[in-house]
Amino acid sequence: LNDKKLRNIGVFSTAEAIELGFSQSTLSRKAVAGEIVRVAHGFYMHPQAKIDLADIDFIVACKRFGPLSYIGGLSALFRYSLIDQVPDRVWVV
């Protein structure tokens, strides 16, 4: 049941997984086994989650800064094809 919850969350933090009953060592074992994918320090993704891979950096950035954050600046302009240059970092407001 918890694996299904991880799939529904998509990208999740270590803290979110621990709240669902996973230990940090279990997360490490699942990552090594390919059952989850480490996408950033302290963040993982279930491989069967329905997430566009281009959105992962944006999702991680918003999760790091909380629910009132959003993507802005050059990142938002690039995301909506208003500029062609790929930003070298994700801009968060």
Side-chain angles (χ1 to χ4, degrees), residues 65-82:
F65 290 98
L68 298 178
S69 65
Y70 56 93
I71 302 303
L74 295 177
S75 297
L77 293 174
F78 177 74
R79 175 73 172 118
Y80 293 107
S81 302
L82 298 174

Side-chain angles (χ1 to χ4, degrees), residues 7-26:
R7 185 177 66 233
N8 290 338
I9 294 171
V11 175
F12 54 91
S13 67
T14 302
E16 289 173 311
I18 288 171
E19 285 178 15
L20 292 174
F22 292 96
S23 68
Q24 194 156 358
S25 59
T26 300

Side-chain angles (χ1 to χ4, degrees), residues 40-51:
H41 179 73
F43 290 91
Y44 299 88
M45 182 182 88
H46 194 283
Q48 295 175 347
K50 295 178 180 171
I51 296 175

Side-chain angles (χ1 to χ4, degrees), residues 10-17 24 27-28 31 36-46 51 53 55-65 90:
V11 175
F12 54 91
S13 67
T14 302
E16 289 173 311
Q24 194 156 358
L27 290 176
S28 295
I36 59 175
V37 178
R38 184 173 183 248
V39 294
H41 179 73
F43 290 91
Y44 299 88
M45 182 182 88
H46 194 283
I51 296 175
L53 296 180
D55 293 335
I56 291 174
D57 288 339
F58 298 124
I59 294 168
V60 170
C62 286
K63 283 186 169 273
R64 282 188 198 274
F65 290 98
V90 176

